Amino acid sequence: MQYVSTRAKNTVVTGAQAIVKGLSEDGGLFVPSEFPAISKQELTAMEDMEYSERAAFVISKFLTDFSLEELNDYTKKAYARFYDGDPCPLVAIDDKTYILELWHGPTCAFKDMALTLLPHLMVASRKKVGETSKTLILVATSGDTGKAALEGFKDVEGCEIIVFYPSEGVSDMQKLQMQTQTGDNVYVCAIKGNFDDAQSAVKVIFNDDNVKAQLLENGYKLSSANSINWGRLVPQIAYYVSSYVDMLSSGEIEFGDKINFCVPSGNFGNILAGYYAMRMGVPINKLICASNKNKVLTDFFSSGKYDINRDFYKTMSPSMDILISSNLERLLFEISGRDDKYVADLMNSLKNKGYYEIDFAKLQANAANFEGGFSNEDMTMYTIADFYDENDYLLDTHTAVAVGVYKAYQENSGDDTKTVIVSTASPYKFPQDVYNALTGEFVQNSINAADMLEEYTGFDIPEPLQNLQSRVVRFKDVIEKDQIKQAVLNAIKK
Ligand SMILES: *Cc1c(COP(=O)(O)O)cnc(C)c1O
């Protein structure tokens, strides 16, 4: 399997090269040259495998320059870091609604599904391509990627990691998790601005030959742990396949029955992995893309116009407070019939004018499986309280967006297809808002809020979020967004 750039199809690399590079030199994203098929026999055989084996099997279809044995070793190590048993349990709420919990990893967000594995893939890929310089991982985070990448890459040989987060754009709990990060090869810094500012600044560095030359002089090459890196996306395909297999083995569906997935979306990486699973042959009816008040994706799916000339809102689902959903570029590549010039033009238009527009008929024809919807703040609060009352199940603020969107979709469409709601974070990562939704009381301190939420609901605080207050704060820097280059250069010279 080869990988091509979405902006220049004649740029062809191996899986290992795609992972080490992170981003193509033309600014495009690497995508597989074709979609490998998964057969009925293979899906059925997966019923007897544990999750790490299922993941290795799915990934092996894409990363053909890795052996299955090698991948099994990495997935076993990665998913052994999850704190209780099954890394992604599928919980039945009723006979048509299921919740896929992806937050049982070391940082309690779905990013762990990929970021516990990516360091193994990165180290192996470096060997395969004969890389001798150090890999410098640059991350822009809206909250959860940063911590998960730090945990994944801390003290990994040959790698250093720098994380930039918007100083006022992450939850207290997320901030505390990052500021107290341990490890000798890590640096964390806040940026005055929002997530898009941080992401754009990081992208500029990736395309800045001058900075890259200076880094190389110091023995570093850049890579990315954001979902623009193929090594982040490929592990995510596995849980879509695996949850279909779970539905089969629990007798909820028979082979061939289609299911829906509803995904709380920001950078569009999670749901895109679901689309790739569908392209492999997993029977999927609808992929419901749920947004918060920053509903640029909802508007795109209903009009064909992607327009970031709009207000940016800070919401209680900060990991979805994004206007530039980078991975949509990969979908555009597919729905345009893999037209690289066209994708490059759209991305230029986005950069220069802040919008692009595609032919709506083409969108409807080639992305028919996608539905968009959004939930505003009131609706999200209501959903958390209502779902708790009805089902004795505690949603975090991001998953609540998805549940709200799904309920509205279901009512409007009458679609009774069994639906998996992808749950992306533990409610204890956002305890103030969740507690407020349940009780009407906003607790100022997030640690207190977590304790009160635990007492109120009886659901335990996950182990990785316990005792955060007793950890040492190591990183307090806050910089202007135009100082990011200098911050990178300073960090590597330390
Ligand atoms: C990152 C994140 C999302 C958004 O996922 P994308 O892949 O960026 O669309 C949603 N919820 C949580 C909790 C996240 O951390």
Side-chain angles (χ1 to χ4, degrees):
M1 173 83 60
Q2 304 277 324
Y3 290 82
V4 298
S5 163
T6 48
R7 297 189 202 176
K9 273 195 293 196
N10 54 1
T11 302
V12 180
V13 300
T14 64
Q17 284 171 325
I19 290 170
V20 173
K21 283 173 182 289
L23 192 68
S24 179
E25 260 130 53
D26 49 61
L29 308 182
F30 290 116
V31 290
S33 55
E34 63 197 341
F35 292 107
I38 191 152
S39 67
K40 179 178 177 177
Q41 285 77 2
E42 288 171 325
L43 284 169
T44 316
M46 282 171 77
E47 288 189 42
D48 298 325
M49 298 180 190
E50 52 183 79
Y51 185 74
S52 66
E53 294 171 295
R54 290 180 184 179
F57 181 70
V58 172
I59 296 169
S60 73
K61 289 187 169 272
F62 288 94
L63 295 183
T64 49
D65 43 349
F66 290 66
S67 72
L68 183 58
E69 197 189 356
E70 203 180 350
L71 291 170
N72 262 310
D73 178 35
Y74 305 151
T75 54
K76 232 191 174 69
K77 285 180 184 146
Y79 298 118
R81 293 191 59 198
F82 281 55
Y83 59 88
D84 49 13
D86 186 351
C88 48
L90 188 64
V91 178
I93 300 294
D94 54 40
D95 62 2
K96 63 170 195 278
T97 321
Y98 306 80
I99 302 235
L100 177 63
E101 296 180 350
L102 299 179
W103 39 263
H104 295 269
T107 75
C108 305
F110 98 95
K111 306 294 195 292
D112 291 325
M113 296 301 297
L115 281 163
T116 49
L117 184 59
L118 182 63
H120 296 286
L121 297 177
M122 184 66 77
V123 170
S125 297
R126 283 168 48 85
K127 288 208 181 100
K128 285 180 205 292
V129 304
E131 187 58 70
T132 50
S133 40
K134 279 193 168 189
T135 297
L136 178 62
I137 313 276
L138 275 196
V139 179
T141 184
S142 57
D144 292 325
T145 295
K147 179 63 183 179
L150 288 161
E151 272 302 312
F153 279 99
K154 77 169 176 204
D155 298 327
V156 169
E157 206 191 308
C159 299
E160 289 192 20
I161 173 164
I162 304 182
V163 170
F164 294 102
Y165 69 90
S167 65
E168 301 307 323
V170 301
S171 81
D172 288 353
M173 204 61 123
Q174 290 174 320
K175 194 181 277 191
L176 203 53
Q177 278 186 305
M178 289 189 279
Q179 289 178 332
T180 56
Q181 180 63 44
T182 58
D184 287 336
N185 62 341
V186 305
Y187 174 62
V188 178
C189 181
I191 289 198
K192 290 182 193 159
N194 60 35
F195 170 70
D196 290 313
D197 294 324
Q199 176 163 261
S200 300
V202 165
K203 274 193 185 163
V204 166
I205 295 189
F206 271 95
N207 293 312
D208 184 324
D209 290 335
N210 183 278
V211 178
K212 283 196 284 193
Q214 290 189 58
L215 289 174
L216 201 56
E217 266 172 39
N218 289 280
Y220 290 92
K221 274 190 194 160
L222 289 175
S223 190
S224 165
N226 281 99
S227 53
I228 52 176
N229 192 319
W230 177 247
R232 262 291 295 281
L233 274 185
V234 69
Q236 296 177 180
I237 301 171
Y239 54 74
Y240 286 94
V241 180
S242 177
S243 52
Y244 191 82
V245 174
D246 281 341
M247 296 277 279
L248 279 178
S249 58
S250 60
E252 301 288 343
I253 54 169
E254 288 182 26
F255 188 84
D257 289 348
K258 290 188 173 180
I259 60 173
N260 296 333
F261 285 96
C262 181
V263 188
S265 295
N267 224 356
F268 206 70
N270 196 351
I271 195 168
L272 184 77
Y275 172 78
Y276 286 161
M278 186 182 79
R279 294 294 302 267
M280 293 177 81
V282 176
I284 291 174
N285 175 45
K286 289 287 181 190
L287 292 162
I288 304 160
C289 176
S291 300
N292 65 22
K293 208 173 159 190
N294 295 295
K295 59 182 185 62
V296 64
L297 285 165
T298 313
D299 294 342
F300 171 71
F301 283 114
S302 65
S303 72
K305 186 167 183 186
Y306 193 92
D307 189 353
I308 64 168
N309 298 308
R310 62 173 73 209
D311 290 335
F312 174 88
Y313 300 107
K314 279 202 317 188
T315 74
M316 60 189 162
S317 43
S319 302
M320 298 158 70
D321 289 346
I322 292 175
L323 293 182
I324 305 174
S325 303
S326 301
N327 276 295
L328 194 62
E329 177 169 350
R330 287 181 160 118
L331 183 68
L332 293 170
F333 186 69
E334 301 306 329
I335 62 184
S336 66
R338 307 204 132 203
D339 188 340
D340 52 354
K341 299 283 167 300
Y342 178 71
V343 172
D345 286 346
L346 294 181
M347 292 304 123
N348 271 330
S349 167
L350 183 63
K351 191 170 159 207
N352 299 326
K353 294 189 265 180
Y355 71 90
Y356 59 78
E357 190 157 14
I358 70 168
D359 181 20
F360 189 53
K362 200 176 199 172
L363 177 68
Q364 283 184 309
N366 296 339
N369 300 86
F370 282 91
E371 291 286 332
F374 76 103
S375 171
N376 63 26
E377 297 288 270
D378 286 346
M379 183 167 152
T380 303
M381 292 276 272
Y382 172 81
T383 303
I384 293 171
D386 183 57
F387 208 76
Y388 179 70
D389 288 344
E390 293 276 308
N391 307 301
D392 194 30
Y393 186 96
L394 201 54
L395 298 167
D396 90 285
T397 48
H398 302 73
T399 311
V401 166
V403 169
V405 166
Y406 167 64
K407 291 214 153 151
Y409 162 79
Q410 208 277 325
E411 266 163 36
N412 293 335
S413 66
D415 177 4
D416 279 331
T417 308
K418 289 179 190 281
T419 299
V420 173
I421 291 159
V422 177
S423 175
T424 48
S426 157
Y428 285 102
K429 273 199 108 157
F430 309 93
Q432 290 150 299
D433 291 313
V434 173
Y435 189 73
N436 187 16
L438 297 187
T439 64
E441 184 190 345
F442 191 87
V443 181
Q444 282 306 329
N445 176 298
S446 60
I447 306 271
N448 293 346
D451 289 340
M452 290 164 81
L453 187 60
E454 183 174 50
E455 199 172 301
Y456 187 83
T457 63
F459 296 120
D460 293 339
I461 299 177
E463 187 224 283
L465 296 178
Q466 292 169 11
N467 305 320
L468 266 182
Q469 68 275 30
S470 60
R471 296 183 204 166
V472 180
V473 171
R474 295 178 64 202
F475 301 104
K476 281 189 178 160
D477 294 349
V478 184
I479 61 167
E480 300 289 339
K481 60 192 175 197
D482 57 7
Q483 295 174 326
I484 191 166
K485 271 186 207 174
Q486 203 48 51
V488 169
L489 293 171
N490 291 346
I492 58 149
K493 285 173 187 161
K494 268 185 193 154

